[in-house]
Amino acid sequence: MSDLFRAIPSMSAVLEALAAPPEALAAPCALLRASVPQPLLRECVERFLNARRDDIRAGRIASPGELALDALLPGIVAYARKAARPHLRRVLNATGVVIHTNLGRSPLAEEAAKAAYEAALHYSNLEFDLETGGRGSRHSHVDALIRRLTGAEGALAVNNNAAAVLLVLDSLCKDREVVVSRGELVEIGGSFRIPEVMAKSGCILREAGATNRTRLADYSAAITDETAALMKVHTSNFRIIGFTESVPRAELAALAHERGLLCIEDLGSGALLPLPGADEPTAARVVAAGVDLICFSGDKLLGGPQAGIIAGRADLVERIKTNPLARALRIDKLTLAALEATLRLCLDPELAKTRLPVQAMLRTDEKTLARRAARLAGLLRRELPELSVTVLPGVSRAGGGAMPEQDLPTRLVRLRPPRTGPDALRAALLESDPPLVCRVEDDALCLDPRTLENGEFPLVASALKQALARVT
Ligand SMILES: *Cc1c(COP(=O)(O)O)cnc(C)c1O
């Protein structure tokens, strides 16, 4: 056994071999050297060699030849690549949920990603006025675009929509009452609850109406001398159906103004372009209805980076900008660059529909999806003949609190693996590189082509191959 222990190569021998590898390992070793910091690489090698010592003690290694540097090197490279890869990684989204909060919501348009890349690598006029050579405002880069796209007089972008709601309420309604319908006291997930955000902002929630029905008279009755605003909140992730009633926003705004109050609306997803078949109001329609201030997310239906957009009356936006909290919640320069590029695409709706991935995915028609599903199925049948592959109609979802409960018809590629269940395969796919996230329905693994790019189909096949090798 001591011969075996002595046969284990030294750390320095391994590091030297990784620096000057045999031809067959040249490419993966170059990748390792470029992407893995030296201390992490050393740690990986150490753990790998310790595992071989355990193998010797357990009798899993019989001859010194198995421990030769040449024999171990491919394993070391594979181990280090896996163990030292970045924690935040690309995944393949085959769930069909377009705005998937857990998977990073909106993939950016290429234009937006490039803008962020430029802003990241170089200095910029972030807060520098190129006309005067003096100090400029970080808000100047997107406010005209937001005003133009929403029809509002004033605009401001902050860290995310939760921050926008908090900032609006803190700036305009602190220590006063805000009336919200009981049907709109939503929890968005990740602990964003309207009543709690209100409490944090220091305003007092006044509930109006009942869960399923709120009338104008209910709002009216809830107004007191302490009231600052009437607020509407998008019921992003649920729908109350049956015996229901809510107040059209134009009537709510009229009531607010009659009583000298503000009308505020948290649009949640906030569509800038009308979506076919969806009853999401566009931001411009909400502003035109007389709502004083709206806010919505940058990375839901808008299809941009994480951001919160506030638009509305210029005097209110000015008050919000001077709130010290605005500094704490301010938008980052990379986000700002990506947001500006996204908004510029939105100026031309035809361009936005194809260039913004979220818009394009939501608009992909059934015929196209059927064709793409057939292509993916064909590829998988060729590459993985042991899988049973069928294509059946199914539904995708918008996600991100947009269009809740609305089915988007799609075609699902359904897979049944041999010798194991779909749940085991789904779990194994998370360990593939890149990981593949999908759902199991009716005892089959389902891949929805809506949220996969055509260029990702070979990666799907490769992820499945890796996973099948692990489970069967
Ligand atoms: C998503 C959502 C939020 C939170 O937006 P983030 O951008 O995730 O911070 C707030 N309100 C509503 C109605 C939402 O749908």
Side-chain angles (χ1 to χ4, degrees), residues 50-61:
N50 282 338
R52 299 297 77 74
R53 290 185 180 96
D54 292 342
D55 285 343
I56 295 172
R57 283 184 208 104
R60 287 188 292 264
I61 290 180

Side-chain angles (χ1 to χ4, degrees), residues 312-333:
R313 263 170 50 191
D315 61 320
L316 302 177
V317 171
E318 283 314 308
R319 270 167 67 192
I320 293 169
K321 278 185 187 166
T322 57
N323 184 336
L325 200 52
R327 169 60 195 261
L329 303 174
R330 79 179 182 185
I331 191 167
D332 158 71
K333 67 178 176 181

